[in-house]
Amino acid sequence: MLHLKVTIDKDSGFCFGVVYAIEMAEEILREEGRLFCLGDIVHNDEEVNRLEALGLRIISHEDLKFIKNEKVLIRAHGEPASTYQIALTNNLELIDASCPVVLKLQNRIKNAHDKNENIFIYGKHGHAEVIGLKAQTNDKAVVFQDLDELNLAELPEEITLFSQTTKSTSKFYEITESLSNSGIKINTNDTICRQVSNRDKLLKDFAAKFDKIVFVSGTKSSNGKVLYNICKEINPNTYFISRPEEIQSNQFNNNDTVGICGATSTPMWLMEKVKSTIEEF
């Protein structure tokens, strides 16, 4: 036995948007035993597997075109207007679990687009939330993950800048400063969810307290990658895992203190399972 002292970060786990979506899904699954969900309900394979065992069926946007007279869950990431139009055509009952923060952002982007502003969105290409945001501009908004993707010399003199809700606040303001220093007038809209961004500081404090950090997240989670890197910067002895089987006893020394934390898409039950696995070393 390595006699490890293991602590789970009480501030990690699902954000309220994900909690809301999963609670809605569980309620319907308890009553009816089946529910379609448009895309992964959360970017965590272990949680998706748990819900699929209860009767959740993950479908794609292509699948949606051929489904009629069913209930379909809209996950926290939100959807473009085209999804709602298909639902009307196919007599689908949408269980809309779109995060209120995302819906508010969609409205702000649509209003800016209606005023013919030059809209730029700091976000991950192809991410479900970003697809829904860009759709508010008839796909005219420019999406970028890094400043290097933009040719500053060719940008308009004035732009309106938004951000995907789960991006890093510090990176967003670095980008804003760089663009401003290039002579571009920016209408900055800090649209990052504070429940997510506030975890930056909390995680830094948490990661500094332990000999080793085990960060639990699905590989598809954008937020997970950001938060993992924050932990890694503070504590180089940080390990990224998606499930308990990936952690190895040789990563620890006798009497190590171990902190377990995760993304906003990581369920608490999974972190508890990781804790139990580590305590057996």
Side-chain angles (χ1 to χ4, degrees), residues 130-147:
V130 174
I131 290 170
L133 298 179
K134 192 177 180 185
Q136 306 306 314
T137 69
N138 295 324
D139 289 336
K140 291 180 180 177
V142 176
V143 174
F144 65 100
Q145 293 180 194
D146 198 274
L147 207 53

Side-chain angles (χ1 to χ4, degrees), residues 70-217:
E70 293 281 0
K71 287 184 179 178
V72 178
L73 182 81
I74 300 296
R75 56 197 176 160
H77 299 97
E79 284 291 322
S82 57
T83 296
Y84 295 87
Q85 186 56 54
I86 292 170
L88 281 173
T89 303
N90 290 3
N91 193 36
L92 299 173
E93 182 182 343
L94 292 184
I95 312 300
D96 199 338
S98 299
C99 173
V101 177
V102 175
L103 289 178
K104 184 178 178 182
L105 173 54
Q106 285 186 351
N107 287 331
R108 288 178 69 178
I109 288 177
K110 186 178 187 308
N111 288 338
H113 172 67
D114 290 344
K115 296 174 186 173
N116 294 315
E117 295 177 20
N118 296 308
I119 298 170
F120 284 68
I121 301 171
Y122 169 50
K124 181 180 179 182
H125 295 293
H127 189 281
E129 179 191 324
V130 174
I131 290 170
L133 298 179
K134 192 177 180 185
Q136 306 306 314
T137 69
N138 295 324
D139 289 336
K140 291 180 180 177
V142 176
V143 174
F144 65 100
Q145 293 180 194
D146 198 274
L147 207 53
D148 294 343
E149 297 174 34
L150 303 178
N151 185 336
L152 299 184
E154 294 182 359
L155 291 188
E157 291 181 4
E158 183 174 349
I159 68 170
T160 299
L161 181 64
F162 294 92
S163 173
Q164 180 181 338
T165 59
T166 53
K167 281 296 186 183
S168 161
T169 310
S170 57
K171 185 73 184 292
F172 177 74
Y173 280 105
E174 281 175 24
I175 287 169
T176 301
E177 187 177 358
S178 295
L179 289 171
S180 183
N181 290 340
S182 300
I184 298 165
K185 184 179 179 183
I186 308 169
N187 300 316
T188 304
N189 296 271
D190 180 348
T191 51
I192 295 167
C193 175
R194 282 301 175 262
Q195 192 182 5
V196 174
S197 65
N198 287 345
R199 288 195 181 178
D200 288 19
K201 184 182 184 305
L202 294 172
L203 262 189
K204 287 176 182 177
D205 294 342
F206 182 80
K209 295 176 181 176
F210 300 91
D211 297 316
K212 305 285 168 61
I213 292 291
V214 177
F215 190 88
V216 188
S217 172

Side-chain angles (χ1 to χ4, degrees), residues 207-213 230-238:
K209 295 176 181 176
F210 300 91
D211 297 316
K212 305 285 168 61
I213 292 291
I230 286 169
C231 287
K232 188 81 173 173
E233 285 174 15
I234 299 298
N235 189 331
N237 296 311
T238 296

Side-chain angles (χ1 to χ4, degrees), residues 199-259:
R199 288 195 181 178
D200 288 19
K201 184 182 184 305
L202 294 172
L203 262 189
K204 287 176 182 177
D205 294 342
F206 182 80
K209 295 176 181 176
F210 300 91
D211 297 316
K212 305 285 168 61
I213 292 291
V214 177
F215 190 88
V216 188
S217 172
T219 54
K220 299 175 187 174
S221 171
S222 299
N223 162 257
K225 291 182 178 69
V226 170
L227 295 181
Y228 164 71
N229 285 326
I230 286 169
C231 287
K232 188 81 173 173
E233 285 174 15
I234 299 298
N235 189 331
N237 296 311
T238 296
Y239 304 106
F240 185 104
I241 65 166
S242 297
R243 50 199 181 93
E245 293 80 7
E246 293 172 6
I247 199 75
Q248 304 294 324
S249 60
N250 61 13
Q251 293 170 316
F252 306 101
N253 299 317
N254 280 323
N255 300 309
D256 267 352
T257 57
V258 182

